[in-house]
Amino acid sequence: MKTKFSTVVKVKKQEVDKIEKDIQKINFSILELNKKIEELQNILFSLTLPQNGNFSLFSQVKTQQNMLRNEIEKFKNQILFLENRKNELMNELKKANIEYEKMKYLETQEIKKMLKKAKLKESRDMDEIAILLRKNSESE
């Protein structure tokens, strides 16, 4: 049954769905960044400093280690940013769900009123028909 709240309920539901999709995307991105961090950490741990050789070889390994650490730190910062955004979206989702539930409740109440009104009308119509039938049977 369509009520004056039906379109509002639909819009509120779309808002909730969109926020949920955004949260899923963020969760996926965090998961991917964690995988990248793990890969970089494995590479970092596999690098060993040369036991002998010239200083440039030692310097190259140190530079590579620093680059990997910087890359890991960059990914960790991205994760922090995404987690903050996720927390914001969770709060938005909470509010959107509350609004959606309010509108859904109002729609349900409106439907109940409409059904009650329809039953009352049907009851009146049935009474009217009964009266007409009774008059017809009395007049015959």
Side-chain angles (χ1 to χ4, degrees), residues 1 3-17 96 99-108 111:
M1 224 177 231
T3 68
K4 60 185 176 185
F5 296 106
S6 295
T7 54
V8 177
V9 168
K10 185 178 177 183
V11 169
K12 294 294 181 185
K13 179 65 176 155
Q14 287 172 344
E15 287 176 19
V16 168
D17 291 344
E99 287 297 313
Y100 169 66
E101 291 299 325
K102 281 182 192 175
M103 291 299 125
K104 197 172 177 182
Y105 175 78
L106 290 173
E107 180 185 37
T108 304
I111 289 172

mmCIF file with all atom_site columns, all heavy atoms in Angstrom, residues 1 3-17 96 99-108 111:
data_model
loop_
_atom_site.group_PDB
_atom_site.id
_atom_site.type_symbol
_atom_site.label_atom_id
_atom_site.label_alt_id
_atom_site.label_comp_id
_atom_site.label_asym_id
_atom_site.label_entity_id
_atom_site.label_seq_id
_atom_site.pdbx_PDB_ins_code
_atom_site.Cartn_x
_atom_site.Cartn_y
_atom_site.Cartn_z
_atom_site.occupancy
_atom_site.B_iso_or_equiv
_atom_site.pdbx_formal_charge
_atom_site.auth_seq_id
_atom_site.auth_comp_id
_atom_site.auth_asym_id
_atom_site.auth_atom_id
_atom_site.pdbx_PDB_model_num
ATOM 1   N N   . MET A 1 1   ? 0.833  -1.170 0.000  1.00 0.00 ? 1   MET A N   1
ATOM 2   C CA  . MET A 1 1   ? 0.000  0.000  0.000  1.00 0.00 ? 1   MET A CA  1
ATOM 3   C C   . MET A 1 1   ? 0.884  1.243  0.000  1.00 0.00 ? 1   MET A C   1
ATOM 4   O O   . MET A 1 1   ? 1.854  1.312  0.731  1.00 0.00 ? 1   MET A O   1
ATOM 5   C CB  . MET A 1 1   ? -0.865 -0.027 1.263  1.00 0.00 ? 1   MET A CB  1
ATOM 6   C CG  . MET A 1 1   ? -2.272 0.339  1.027  1.00 0.00 ? 1   MET A CG  1
ATOM 7   S SD  . MET A 1 1   ? -3.204 0.191  2.553  1.00 0.00 ? 1   MET A SD  1
ATOM 8   C CE  . MET A 1 1   ? -4.525 -0.803 1.948  1.00 0.00 ? 1   MET A CE  1
ATOM 9   N N   . THR A 1 3   ? 1.659  5.112  0.727  1.00 0.00 ? 3   THR A N   1
ATOM 10  C CA  . THR A 1 3   ? 1.236  6.193  1.613  1.00 0.00 ? 3   THR A CA  1
ATOM 11  C C   . THR A 1 3   ? 2.062  7.431  1.295  1.00 0.00 ? 3   THR A C   1
ATOM 12  O O   . THR A 1 3   ? 2.964  7.396  0.456  1.00 0.00 ? 3   THR A O   1
ATOM 13  C CB  . THR A 1 3   ? 1.465  5.826  3.094  1.00 0.00 ? 3   THR A CB  1
ATOM 14  O OG1 . THR A 1 3   ? 2.865  5.750  3.347  1.00 0.00 ? 3   THR A OG1 1
ATOM 15  C CG2 . THR A 1 3   ? 0.803  4.512  3.454  1.00 0.00 ? 3   THR A CG2 1
ATOM 16  N N   . LYS A 1 4   ? 1.766  8.500  2.024  1.00 0.00 ? 4   LYS A N   1
ATOM 17  C CA  . LYS A 1 4   ? 2.547  9.725  1.822  1.00 0.00 ? 4   LYS A CA  1
ATOM 18  C C   . LYS A 1 4   ? 3.975  9.549  2.330  1.00 0.00 ? 4   LYS A C   1
ATOM 19  O O   . LYS A 1 4   ? 4.864  10.323 1.974  1.00 0.00 ? 4   LYS A O   1
ATOM 20  C CB  . LYS A 1 4   ? 1.865  10.905 2.503  1.00 0.00 ? 4   LYS A CB  1
ATOM 21  C CG  . LYS A 1 4   ? 1.694  10.762 4.006  1.00 0.00 ? 4   LYS A CG  1
ATOM 22  C CD  . LYS A 1 4   ? 0.911  11.916 4.579  1.00 0.00 ? 4   LYS A CD  1
ATOM 23  C CE  . LYS A 1 4   ? 0.655  11.720 6.069  1.00 0.00 ? 4   LYS A CE  1
ATOM 24  N NZ  . LYS A 1 4   ? -0.200 12.747 6.626  1.00 0.00 ? 4   LYS A NZ  1
ATOM 25  N N   . PHE A 1 5   ? 4.234  8.498  3.122  1.00 0.00 ? 5   PHE A N   1
ATOM 26  C CA  . PHE A 1 5   ? 5.577  8.247  3.657  1.00 0.00 ? 5   PHE A CA  1
ATOM 27  C C   . PHE A 1 5   ? 6.383  7.278  2.790  1.00 0.00 ? 5   PHE A C   1
ATOM 28  O O   . PHE A 1 5   ? 7.586  7.120  3.001  1.00 0.00 ? 5   PHE A O   1
ATOM 29  C CB  . PHE A 1 5   ? 5.484  7.683  5.082  1.00 0.00 ? 5   PHE A CB  1
ATOM 30  C CG  . PHE A 1 5   ? 4.880  8.642  6.061  1.00 0.00 ? 5   PHE A CG  1
ATOM 31  C CD1 . PHE A 1 5   ? 3.586  8.455  6.530  1.00 0.00 ? 5   PHE A CD1 1
ATOM 32  C CD2 . PHE A 1 5   ? 5.593  9.742  6.515  1.00 0.00 ? 5   PHE A CD2 1
ATOM 33  C CE1 . PHE A 1 5   ? 3.022  9.342  7.439  1.00 0.00 ? 5   PHE A CE1 1
ATOM 34  C CE2 . PHE A 1 5   ? 5.039  10.632 7.418  1.00 0.00 ? 5   PHE A CE2 1
ATOM 35  C CZ  . PHE A 1 5   ? 3.749  10.435 7.879  1.00 0.00 ? 5   PHE A CZ  1
ATOM 36  N N   . SER A 1 6   ? 5.752  6.625  1.833  1.00 0.00 ? 6   SER A N   1
ATOM 37  C CA  . SER A 1 6   ? 6.412  5.586  1.045  1.00 0.00 ? 6   SER A CA  1
ATOM 38  C C   . SER A 1 6   ? 7.656  6.090  0.325  1.00 0.00 ? 6   SER A C   1
ATOM 39  O O   . SER A 1 6   ? 8.702  5.430  0.356  1.00 0.00 ? 6   SER A O   1
ATOM 40  C CB  . SER A 1 6   ? 5.445  4.995  0.029  1.00 0.00 ? 6   SER A CB  1
ATOM 41  O OG  . SER A 1 6   ? 4.406  4.329  0.698  1.00 0.00 ? 6   SER A OG  1
ATOM 42  N N   . THR A 1 7   ? 7.557  7.252  -0.309 1.00 0.00 ? 7   THR A N   1
ATOM 43  C CA  . THR A 1 7   ? 8.726  7.767  -1.031 1.00 0.00 ? 7   THR A CA  1
ATOM 44  C C   . THR A 1 7   ? 9.837  8.179  -0.066 1.00 0.00 ? 7   THR A C   1
ATOM 45  O O   . THR A 1 7   ? 11.014 7.963  -0.353 1.00 0.00 ? 7   THR A O   1
ATOM 46  C CB  . THR A 1 7   ? 8.347  8.964  -1.929 1.00 0.00 ? 7   THR A CB  1
ATOM 47  O OG1 . THR A 1 7   ? 7.684  9.946  -1.135 1.00 0.00 ? 7   THR A OG1 1
ATOM 48  C CG2 . THR A 1 7   ? 7.457  8.533  -3.072 1.00 0.00 ? 7   THR A CG2 1
ATOM 49  N N   . VAL A 1 8   ? 9.455  8.719  1.084  1.00 0.00 ? 8   VAL A N   1
ATOM 50  C CA  . VAL A 1 8   ? 10.450 9.117  2.083  1.00 0.00 ? 8   VAL A CA  1
ATOM 51  C C   . VAL A 1 8   ? 11.167 7.877  2.615  1.00 0.00 ? 8   VAL A C   1
ATOM 52  O O   . VAL A 1 8   ? 12.388 7.871  2.773  1.00 0.00 ? 8   VAL A O   1
ATOM 53  C CB  . VAL A 1 8   ? 9.808  9.921  3.238  1.00 0.00 ? 8   VAL A CB  1
ATOM 54  C CG1 . VAL A 1 8   ? 10.833 10.270 4.290  1.00 0.00 ? 8   VAL A CG1 1
ATOM 55  C CG2 . VAL A 1 8   ? 9.132  11.181 2.711  1.00 0.00 ? 8   VAL A CG2 1
ATOM 56  N N   . VAL A 1 9   ? 10.400 6.811  2.866  1.00 0.00 ? 9   VAL A N   1
ATOM 57  C CA  . VAL A 1 9   ? 10.982 5.562  3.348  1.00 0.00 ? 9   VAL A CA  1
ATOM 58  C C   . VAL A 1 9   ? 11.976 5.022  2.318  1.00 0.00 ? 9   VAL A C   1
ATOM 59  O O   . VAL A 1 9   ? 13.075 4.582  2.673  1.00 0.00 ? 9   VAL A O   1
ATOM 60  C CB  . VAL A 1 9   ? 9.886  4.515  3.654  1.00 0.00 ? 9   VAL A CB  1
ATOM 61  C CG1 . VAL A 1 9   ? 10.471 3.135  3.883  1.00 0.00 ? 9   VAL A CG1 1
ATOM 62  C CG2 . VAL A 1 9   ? 9.070  4.948  4.851  1.00 0.00 ? 9   VAL A CG2 1
ATOM 63  N N   . LYS A 1 10  ? 11.582 5.084  1.064  1.00 0.00 ? 10  LYS A N   1
ATOM 64  C CA  . LYS A 1 10  ? 12.457 4.595  -0.011 1.00 0.00 ? 10  LYS A CA  1
ATOM 65  C C   . LYS A 1 10  ? 13.767 5.389  -0.050 1.00 0.00 ? 10  LYS A C   1
ATOM 66  O O   . LYS A 1 10  ? 14.855 4.805  -0.155 1.00 0.00 ? 10  LYS A O   1
ATOM 67  C CB  . LYS A 1 10  ? 11.730 4.697  -1.360 1.00 0.00 ? 10  LYS A CB  1
ATOM 68  C CG  . LYS A 1 10  ? 12.492 4.125  -2.504 1.00 0.00 ? 10  LYS A CG  1
ATOM 69  C CD  . LYS A 1 10  ? 11.690 4.218  -3.794 1.00 0.00 ? 10  LYS A CD  1
ATOM 70  C CE  . LYS A 1 10  ? 12.496 3.713  -4.969 1.00 0.00 ? 10  LYS A CE  1
ATOM 71  N NZ  . LYS A 1 10  ? 11.771 3.853  -6.225 1.00 0.00 ? 10  LYS A NZ  1
ATOM 72  N N   . VAL A 1 11  ? 13.677 6.702  0.053  1.00 0.00 ? 11  VAL A N   1
ATOM 73  C CA  . VAL A 1 11  ? 14.864 7.558  0.028  1.00 0.00 ? 11  VAL A CA  1
ATOM 74  C C   . VAL A 1 11  ? 15.760 7.272  1.238  1.00 0.00 ? 11  VAL A C   1
ATOM 75  O O   . VAL A 1 11  ? 16.984 7.155  1.113  1.00 0.00 ? 11  VAL A O   1
ATOM 76  C CB  . VAL A 1 11  ? 14.471 9.058  -0.016 1.00 0.00 ? 11  VAL A CB  1
ATOM 77  C CG1 . VAL A 1 11  ? 15.663 9.952  0.236  1.00 0.00 ? 11  VAL A CG1 1
ATOM 78  C CG2 . VAL A 1 11  ? 13.823 9.393  -1.355 1.00 0.00 ? 11  VAL A CG2 1
ATOM 79  N N   . LYS A 1 12  ? 15.144 7.140  2.403  1.00 0.00 ? 12  LYS A N   1
ATOM 80  C CA  . LYS A 1 12  ? 15.912 6.858  3.626  1.00 0.00 ? 12  LYS A CA  1
ATOM 81  C C   . LYS A 1 12  ? 16.623 5.514  3.513  1.00 0.00 ? 12  LYS A C   1
ATOM 82  O O   . LYS A 1 12  ? 17.762 5.361  3.937  1.00 0.00 ? 12  LYS A O   1
ATOM 83  C CB  . LYS A 1 12  ? 15.012 6.887  4.866  1.00 0.00 ? 12  LYS A CB  1
ATOM 84  C CG  . LYS A 1 12  ? 14.430 8.246  5.179  1.00 0.00 ? 12  LYS A CG  1
ATOM 85  C CD  . LYS A 1 12  ? 15.490 9.239  5.571  1.00 0.00 ? 12  LYS A CD  1
ATOM 86  C CE  . LYS A 1 12  ? 14.883 10.583 5.913  1.00 0.00 ? 12  LYS A CE  1
ATOM 87  N NZ  . LYS A 1 12  ? 15.873 11.599 6.180  1.00 0.00 ? 12  LYS A NZ  1
ATOM 88  N N   . LYS A 1 13  ? 15.948 4.531  2.938  1.00 0.00 ? 13  LYS A N   1
ATOM 89  C CA  . LYS A 1 13  ? 16.551 3.210  2.752  1.00 0.00 ? 13  LYS A CA  1
ATOM 90  C C   . LYS A 1 13  ? 17.740 3.300  1.794  1.00 0.00 ? 13  LYS A C   1
ATOM 91  O O   . LYS A 1 13  ? 18.774 2.668  2.011  1.00 0.00 ? 13  LYS A O   1
ATOM 92  C CB  . LYS A 1 13  ? 15.499 2.222  2.238  1.00 0.00 ? 13  LYS A CB  1
ATOM 93  C CG  . LYS A 1 13  ? 16.021 0.832  1.994  1.00 0.00 ? 13  LYS A CG  1
ATOM 94  C CD  . LYS A 1 13  ? 16.469 0.170  3.274  1.00 0.00 ? 13  LYS A CD  1
ATOM 95  C CE  . LYS A 1 13  ? 16.888 -1.269 2.993  1.00 0.00 ? 13  LYS A CE  1
ATOM 96  N NZ  . LYS A 1 13  ? 17.840 -1.774 3.966  1.00 0.00 ? 13  LYS A NZ  1
ATOM 97  N N   . GLN A 1 14  ? 17.613 4.092  0.751  1.00 0.00 ? 14  GLN A N   1
ATOM 98  C CA  . GLN A 1 14  ? 18.717 4.272  -0.201 1.00 0.00 ? 14  GLN A CA  1
ATOM 99  C C   . GLN A 1 14  ? 19.917 4.918  0.485  1.00 0.00 ? 14  GLN A C   1
ATOM 100 O O   . GLN A 1 14  ? 21.059 4.549  0.211  1.00 0.00 ? 14  GLN A O   1
ATOM 101 C CB  . GLN A 1 14  ? 18.258 5.120  -1.392 1.00 0.00 ? 14  GLN A CB  1
ATOM 102 C CG  . GLN A 1 14  ? 17.328 4.389  -2.329 1.00 0.00 ? 14  GLN A CG  1
ATOM 103 C CD  . GLN A 1 14  ? 16.731 5.306  -3.398 1.00 0.00 ? 14  GLN A CD  1
ATOM 104 O OE1 . GLN A 1 14  ? 16.769 6.514  -3.297 1.00 0.00 ? 14  GLN A OE1 1
ATOM 105 N NE2 . GLN A 1 14  ? 16.151 4.684  -4.422 1.00 0.00 ? 14  GLN A NE2 1
ATOM 106 N N   . GLU A 1 15  ? 19.655 5.872  1.375  1.00 0.00 ? 15  GLU A N   1
ATOM 107 C CA  . GLU A 1 15  ? 20.746 6.513  2.122  1.00 0.00 ? 15  GLU A CA  1
ATOM 108 C C   . GLU A 1 15  ? 21.477 5.481  2.980  1.00 0.00 ? 15  GLU A C   1
ATOM 109 O O   . GLU A 1 15  ? 22.712 5.444  3.001  1.00 0.00 ? 15  GLU A O   1
ATOM 110 C CB  . GLU A 1 15  ? 20.204 7.631  3.021  1.00 0.00 ? 15  GLU A CB  1
ATOM 111 C CG  . GLU A 1 15  ? 19.776 8.879  2.302  1.00 0.00 ? 15  GLU A CG  1
ATOM 112 C CD  . GLU A 1 15  ? 19.164 9.918  3.242  1.00 0.00 ? 15  GLU A CD  1
ATOM 113 O OE1 . GLU A 1 15  ? 19.387 9.830  4.471  1.00 0.00 ? 15  GLU A OE1 1
ATOM 114 O OE2 . GLU A 1 15  ? 18.459 10.808 2.742  1.00 0.00 ? 15  GLU A OE2 1
ATOM 115 N N   . VAL A 1 16  ? 20.714 4.662  3.680  1.00 0.00 ? 16  VAL A N   1
ATOM 116 C CA  . VAL A 1 16  ? 21.305 3.623  4.530  1.00 0.00 ? 16  VAL A CA  1
ATOM 117 C C   . VAL A 1 16  ? 22.146 2.665  3.680  1.00 0.00 ? 16  VAL A C   1
ATOM 118 O O   . VAL A 1 16  ? 23.287 2.343  4.032  1.00 0.00 ? 16  VAL A O   1
ATOM 119 C CB  . VAL A 1 16  ? 20.205 2.855  5.303  1.00 0.00 ? 16  VAL A CB  1
ATOM 120 C CG1 . VAL A 1 16  ? 20.752 1.604  5.961  1.00 0.00 ? 16  VAL A CG1 1
ATOM 121 C CG2 . VAL A 1 16  ? 19.562 3.760  6.350  1.00 0.00 ? 16  VAL A CG2 1
ATOM 122 N N   . ASP A 1 17  ? 21.600 2.238  2.560  1.00 0.00 ? 17  ASP A N   1
ATOM 123 C CA  . ASP A 1 17  ? 22.320 1.313  1.672  1.00 0.00 ? 17  ASP A CA  1
ATOM 124 C C   . ASP A 1 17  ? 23.617 1.925  1.150  1.00 0.00 ? 17  ASP A C   1
ATOM 125 O O   . ASP A 1 17  ? 24.647 1.242  1.084  1.00 0.00 ? 17  ASP A O   1
ATOM 126 C CB  . ASP A 1 17  ? 21.431 0.892  0.498  1.00 0.00 ? 17  ASP A CB  1
ATOM 127 C CG  . ASP A 1 17  ? 20.275 0.003  0.937  1.00 0.00 ? 17  ASP A CG  1
ATOM 128 O OD1 . ASP A 1 17  ? 20.325 -0.531 2.072  1.00 0.00 ? 17  ASP A OD1 1
ATOM 129 O OD2 . ASP A 1 17  ? 19.314 -0.145 0.154  1.00 0.00 ? 17  ASP A OD2 1
ATOM 130 N N   . ALA A 1 96  ? 21.171 7.587  10.128 1.00 0.00 ? 96  ALA A N   1
ATOM 131 C CA  . ALA A 1 96  ? 20.333 7.275  8.963  1.00 0.00 ? 96  ALA A CA  1
ATOM 132 C C   . ALA A 1 96  ? 19.376 6.120  9.275  1.00 0.00 ? 96  ALA A C   1
ATOM 133 O O   . ALA A 1 96  ? 18.216 6.131  8.852  1.00 0.00 ? 96  ALA A O   1
ATOM 134 C CB  . ALA A 1 96  ? 21.206 6.940  7.760  1.00 0.00 ? 96  ALA A CB  1
ATOM 135 N N   . GLU A 1 99  ? 16.507 7.465  11.361 1.00 0.00 ? 99  GLU A N   1
ATOM 136 C CA  . GLU A 1 99  ? 15.562 8.201  10.501 1.00 0.00 ? 99  GLU A CA  1
ATOM 137 C C   . GLU A 1 99  ? 14.733 7.235  9.652  1.00 0.00 ? 99  GLU A C   1
ATOM 138 O O   . GLU A 1 99  ? 13.524 7.411  9.498  1.00 0.00 ? 99  GLU A O   1
ATOM 139 C CB  . GLU A 1 99  ? 16.311 9.183  9.595  1.00 0.00 ? 99  GLU A CB  1
ATOM 140 C CG  . GLU A 1 99  ? 16.841 10.390 10.317 1.00 0.00 ? 99  GLU A CG  1
ATOM 141 C CD  . GLU A 1 99  ? 15.735 11.238 10.924 1.00 0.00 ? 99  GLU A CD  1
ATOM 142 O OE1 . GLU A 1 99  ? 14.740 11.522 10.231 1.00 0.00 ? 99  GLU A OE1 1
ATOM 143 O OE2 . GLU A 1 99  ? 15.876 11.605 12.107 1.00 0.00 ? 99  GLU A OE2 1
ATOM 144 N N   . TYR A 1 100 ? 15.408 6.225  9.109  1.00 0.00 ? 100 TYR A N   1
ATOM 145 C CA  . TYR A 1 100 ? 14.712 5.233  8.289  1.00 0.00 ? 100 TYR A CA  1
ATOM 146 C C   . TYR A 1 100 ? 13.643 4.507  9.115  1.00 0.00 ? 100 TYR A C   1
ATOM 147 O O   . TYR A 1 100 ? 12.502 4.347  8.665  1.00 0.00 ? 100 TYR A O   1
ATOM 148 C CB  . TYR A 1 100 ? 15.722 4.236  7.714  1.00 0.00 ? 100 TYR A CB  1
ATOM 149 C CG  . TYR A 1 100 ? 15.106 3.021  7.073  1.00 0.00 ? 100 TYR A CG  1
ATOM 150 C CD1 . TYR A 1 100 ? 14.337 3.130  5.917  1.00 0.00 ? 100 TYR A CD1 1
ATOM 151 C CD2 . TYR A 1 100 ? 15.284 1.757  7.616  1.00 0.00 ? 100 TYR A CD2 1
ATOM 152 C CE1 . TYR A 1 100 ? 13.758 2.015  5.329  1.00 0.00 ? 100 TYR A CE1 1
ATOM 153 C CE2 . TYR A 1 100 ? 14.715 0.646  7.032  1.00 0.00 ? 100 TYR A CE2 1
ATOM 154 C CZ  . TYR A 1 100 ? 13.958 0.779  5.892  1.00 0.00 ? 100 TYR A CZ  1
ATOM 155 O OH  . TYR A 1 100 ? 13.386 -0.327 5.314  1.00 0.00 ? 100 TYR A OH  1
ATOM 156 N N   . GLU A 1 101 ? 14.013 4.094  10.323 1.00 0.00 ? 101 GLU A N   1
ATOM 157 C CA  . GLU A 1 101 ? 13.063 3.382  11.181 1.00 0.00 ? 101 GLU A CA  1
ATOM 158 C C   . GLU A 1 101 ? 11.884 4.269  11.570 1.00 0.00 ? 101 GLU A C   1
ATOM 159 O O   . GLU A 1 101 ? 10.747 3.805  11.647 1.00 0.00 ? 101 GLU A O   1
ATOM 160 C CB  . GLU A 1 101 ? 13.759 2.847  12.442 1.00 0.00 ? 101 GLU A CB  1
ATOM 161 C CG  . GLU A 1 101 ? 14.734 1.717  12.166 1.00 0.00 ? 101 GLU A CG  1
ATOM 162 C CD  . GLU A 1 101 ? 14.086 0.494  11.543 1.00 0.00 ? 101 GLU A CD  1
ATOM 163 O OE1 . GLU A 1 101 ? 12.932 0.178  11.880 1.00 0.00 ? 101 GLU A OE1 1
ATOM 164 O OE2 . GLU A 1 101 ? 14.748 -0.149 10.705 1.00 0.00 ? 101 GLU A OE2 1
ATOM 165 N N   . LYS A 1 102 ? 12.158 5.562  11.810 1.00 0.00 ? 102 LYS A N   1
ATOM 166 C CA  . LYS A 1 102 ? 11.062 6.495  12.131 1.00 0.00 ? 102 LYS A CA  1
ATOM 167 C C   . LYS A 1 102 ? 10.067 6.563  10.974 1.00 0.00 ? 102 LYS A C   1
ATOM 168 O O   . LYS A 1 102 ? 8.848  6.462  11.165 1.00 0.00 ? 102 LYS A O   1
ATOM 169 C CB  . LYS A 1 102 ? 11.606 7.907  12.371 1.00 0.00 ? 102 LYS A CB  1
ATOM 170 C CG  . LYS A 1 102 ? 12.226 8.132  13.712 1.00 0.00 ? 102 LYS A CG  1
ATOM 171 C CD  . LYS A 1 102 ? 12.676 9.592  13.788 1.00 0.00 ? 102 LYS A CD  1
ATOM 172 C CE  . LYS A 1 102 ? 13.560 9.876  14.965 1.00 0.00 ? 102 LYS A CE  1
ATOM 173 N NZ  . LYS A 1 102 ? 14.052 11.265 14.935 1.00 0.00 ? 102 LYS A NZ  1
ATOM 174 N N   . MET A 1 103 ? 10.597 6.757  9.780  1.00 0.00 ? 103 MET A N   1
ATOM 175 C CA  . MET A 1 103 ? 9.728  6.874  8.613  1.00 0.00 ? 103 MET A CA  1
ATOM 176 C C   . MET A 1 103 ? 8.986  5.574  8.347  1.00 0.00 ? 103 MET A C   1
ATOM 177 O O   . MET A 1 103 ? 7.803  5.574  7.983  1.00 0.00 ? 103 MET A O   1
ATOM 178 C CB  . MET A 1 103 ? 10.538 7.275  7.373  1.00 0.00 ? 103 MET A CB  1
ATOM 179 C CG  . MET A 1 103 ? 11.077 8.681  7.408  1.00 0.00 ? 103 MET A CG  1
ATOM 180 S SD  . MET A 1 103 ? 9.742  9.879  7.523  1.00 0.00 ? 103 MET A SD  1
ATOM 181 C CE  . MET A 1 103 ? 10.224 10.781 8.970  1.00 0.00 ? 103 MET A CE  1
ATOM 182 N N   . LYS A 1 104 ? 9.658  4.466  8.545  1.00 0.00 ? 104 LYS A N   1
ATOM 183 C CA  . LYS A 1 104 ? 9.028  3.166  8.345  1.00 0.00 ? 104 LYS A CA  1
ATOM 184 C C   . LYS A 1 104 ? 7.890  2.980  9.350  1.00 0.00 ? 104 LYS A C   1
ATOM 185 O O   . LYS A 1 104 ? 6.822  2.473  9.001  1.00 0.00 ? 104 LYS A O   1
ATOM 186 C CB  . LYS A 1 104 ? 10.083 2.066  8.512  1.00 0.00 ? 104 LYS A CB  1
ATOM 187 C CG  . LYS A 1 104 ? 9.696  0.746  7.957  1.00 0.00 ? 104 LYS A CG  1
ATOM 188 C CD  . LYS A 1 104 ? 10.880 -0.203 8.003  1.00 0.00 ? 104 LYS A CD  1
ATOM 189 C CE  . LYS A 1 104 ? 10.470 -1.563 7.522  1.00 0.00 ? 104 LYS A CE  1
ATOM 190 N NZ  . LYS A 1 104 ? 11.565 -2.514 7.606  1.00 0.00 ? 104 LYS A NZ  1
ATOM 191 N N   . TYR A 1 105 ? 8.119  3.390  10.580 1.00 0.00 ? 105 TYR A N   1
ATOM 192 C CA  . TYR A 1 105 ? 7.080  3.300  11.610 1.00 0.00 ? 105 TYR A CA  1
ATOM 193 C C   . TYR A 1 105 ? 5.877  4.166  11.231 1.00 0.00 ? 105 TYR A C   1
ATOM 194 O O   . TYR A 1 105 ? 4.730  3.724  11.328 1.00 0.00 ? 105 TYR A O   1
ATOM 195 C CB  . TYR A 1 105 ? 7.641  3.736  12.970 1.00 0.00 ? 105 TYR A CB  1
ATOM 196 C CG  . TYR A 1 105 ? 6.605  3.790  14.060 1.00 0.00 ? 105 TYR A CG  1
ATOM 197 C CD1 . TYR A 1 105 ? 6.170  2.631  14.683 1.00 0.00 ? 105 TYR A CD1 1
ATOM 198 C CD2 . TYR A 1 105 ? 6.048  5.002  14.449 1.00 0.00 ? 105 TYR A CD2 1
ATOM 199 C CE1 . TYR A 1 105 ? 5.203  2.675  15.681 1.00 0.00 ? 105 TYR A CE1 1
ATOM 200 C CE2 . TYR A 1 105 ? 5.081  5.057  15.446 1.00 0.00 ? 105 TYR A CE2 1
ATOM 201 C CZ  . TYR A 1 105 ? 4.664  3.898  16.049 1.00 0.00 ? 105 TYR A CZ  1
ATOM 202 O OH  . TYR A 1 105 ? 3.708  3.943  17.025 1.00 0.00 ? 105 TYR A OH  1
ATOM 203 N N   . LEU A 1 106 ? 6.156  5.399  10.788 1.00 0.00 ? 106 LEU A N   1
ATOM 204 C CA  . LEU A 1 106 ? 5.062  6.294  10.390 1.00 0.00 ? 106 LEU A CA  1
ATOM 205 C C   . LEU A 1 106 ? 4.284  5.713  9.212  1.00 0.00 ? 106 LEU A C   1
ATOM 206 O O   . LEU A 1 106 ? 3.057  5.801  9.162  1.00 0.00 ? 106 LEU A O   1
ATOM 207 C CB  . LEU A 1 106 ? 5.613  7.680  10.044 1.00 0.00 ? 106 LEU A CB  1
ATOM 208 C CG  . LEU A 1 106 ? 6.145  8.494  11.219 1.00 0.00 ? 106 LEU A CG  1
ATOM 209 C CD1 . LEU A 1 106 ? 6.810  9.773  10.729 1.00 0.00 ? 106 LEU A CD1 1
ATOM 210 C CD2 . LEU A 1 106 ? 5.031  8.811  12.211 1.00 0.00 ? 106 LEU A CD2 1
ATOM 211 N N   . GLU A 1 107 ? 5.008  5.106  8.280  1.00 0.00 ? 107 GLU A N   1
ATOM 212 C CA  . GLU A 1 107 ? 4.352  4.482  7.133  1.00 0.00 ? 107 GLU A CA  1
ATOM 213 C C   . GLU A 1 107 ? 3.453  3.335  7.606  1.00 0.00 ? 107 GLU A C   1
ATOM 214 O O   . GLU A 1 107 ? 2.305  3.213  7.165  1.00 0.00 ? 107 GLU A O   1
ATOM 215 C CB  . GLU A 1 107 ? 5.384  3.962  6.143  1.00 0.00 ? 107 GLU A CB  1
ATOM 216 C CG  . GLU A 1 107 ? 4.759  3.298  4.928  1.00 0.00 ? 107 GLU A CG  1
ATOM 217 C CD  . GLU A 1 107 ? 5.767  2.683  4.003  1.00 0.00 ? 107 GLU A CD  1
ATOM 218 O OE1 . GLU A 1 107 ? 6.777  2.125  4.488  1.00 0.00 ? 107 GLU A OE1 1
ATOM 219 O OE2 . GLU A 1 107 ? 5.541  2.744  2.785  1.00 0.00 ? 107 GLU A OE2 1
ATOM 220 N N   . THR A 1 108 ? 3.953  2.535  8.522  1.00 0.00 ? 108 THR A N   1
ATOM 221 C CA  . THR A 1 108 ? 3.170  1.419  9.051  1.00 0.00 ? 108 THR A CA  1
ATOM 222 C C   . THR A 1 108 ? 1.908  1.915  9.747  1.00 0.00 ? 108 THR A C   1
ATOM 223 O O   . THR A 1 108 ? 0.821  1.348  9.558  1.00 0.00 ? 108 THR A O   1
ATOM 224 C CB  . THR A 1 108 ? 4.028  0.596  10.043 1.00 0.00 ? 108 THR A CB  1
ATOM 225 O OG1 . THR A 1 108 ? 5.212  0.166  9.385  1.00 0.00 ? 108 THR A OG1 1
ATOM 226 C CG2 . THR A 1 108 ? 3.278  -0.606 10.555 1.00 0.00 ? 108 THR A CG2 1
ATOM 227 N N   . ILE A 1 111 ? -0.551 3.007  7.153  1.00 0.00 ? 111 ILE A N   1
ATOM 228 C CA  . ILE A 1 111 ? -1.186 1.845  6.517  1.00 0.00 ? 111 ILE A CA  1
ATOM 229 C C   . ILE A 1 111 ? -2.271 1.274  7.423  1.00 0.00 ? 111 ILE A C   1
ATOM 230 O O   . ILE A 1 111 ? -3.368 0.928  6.964  1.00 0.00 ? 111 ILE A O   1
ATOM 231 C CB  . ILE A 1 111 ? -0.135 0.775  6.143  1.00 0.00 ? 111 ILE A CB  1
ATOM 232 C CG1 . ILE A 1 111 ? 0.715  1.275  4.974  1.00 0.00 ? 111 ILE A CG1 1
ATOM 233 C CG2 . ILE A 1 111 ? -0.790 -0.549 5.790  1.00 0.00 ? 111 ILE A CG2 1
ATOM 234 C CD1 . ILE A 1 111 ? 1.910  0.404  4.634  1.00 0.00 ? 111 ILE A CD1 1
#
